[in-house]
Amino acid sequence: MARMFRVLGFWTLAIGLMAFAGDMIEMALLFFFQTAVFVLLGYLNFSEKTYILMFWSYMIISFLGFTYWTFFEMGLPF
């Protein structure tokens, strides 16, 4: 399970680099931060249950943040 967090770190790094190349600096910084957190968690050797609870909490926080941003911060299209 710890290896999966390193894989998540790799993919968030790839997305961050693409965002940086596309001049989306804020998005790139967000994904670079996530990369650092995922790689760090990947080397801490927690139990599998702890990794699953951390992943679920990450998903809940990210989905709530995405929903808030799209509903309240992005303007209406018309």
Side-chain angles (χ1 to χ4, degrees), residues 3-54:
R3 188 174 292 166
M4 198 64 225
F5 273 83
R6 287 178 273 193
V7 171
L8 285 170
F10 169 78
W11 285 113
T12 54
L13 177 64
I15 293 169
L17 289 173
M18 288 187 286
F20 189 71
D23 290 329
M24 295 182 276
I25 304 300
E26 295 86 3
M27 179 181 167
L29 291 175
L30 176 66
F31 274 87
F32 290 152
F33 174 73
Q34 289 181 28
T35 298
V37 170
F38 283 145
V39 170
L40 176 73
L41 288 175
Y43 285 104
L44 288 180
N45 294 326
F46 290 124
S47 68
E48 186 171 349
K49 183 178 180 178
T50 304
Y51 277 120
I52 289 175
L53 289 173
M54 284 190 297

Side-chain angles (χ1 to χ4, degrees), residues 45-75:
N45 294 326
F46 290 124
S47 68
E48 186 171 349
K49 183 178 180 178
T50 304
Y51 277 120
I52 289 175
L53 289 173
M54 284 190 297
F55 182 71
W56 273 101
S57 63
Y58 166 74
M59 294 303 290
I60 290 170
I61 290 169
S62 63
F63 286 149
L64 286 174
F66 179 77
T67 303
Y68 170 81
W69 183 262
T70 55
F71 192 75
F72 294 111
E73 299 293 331
M74 295 176 67

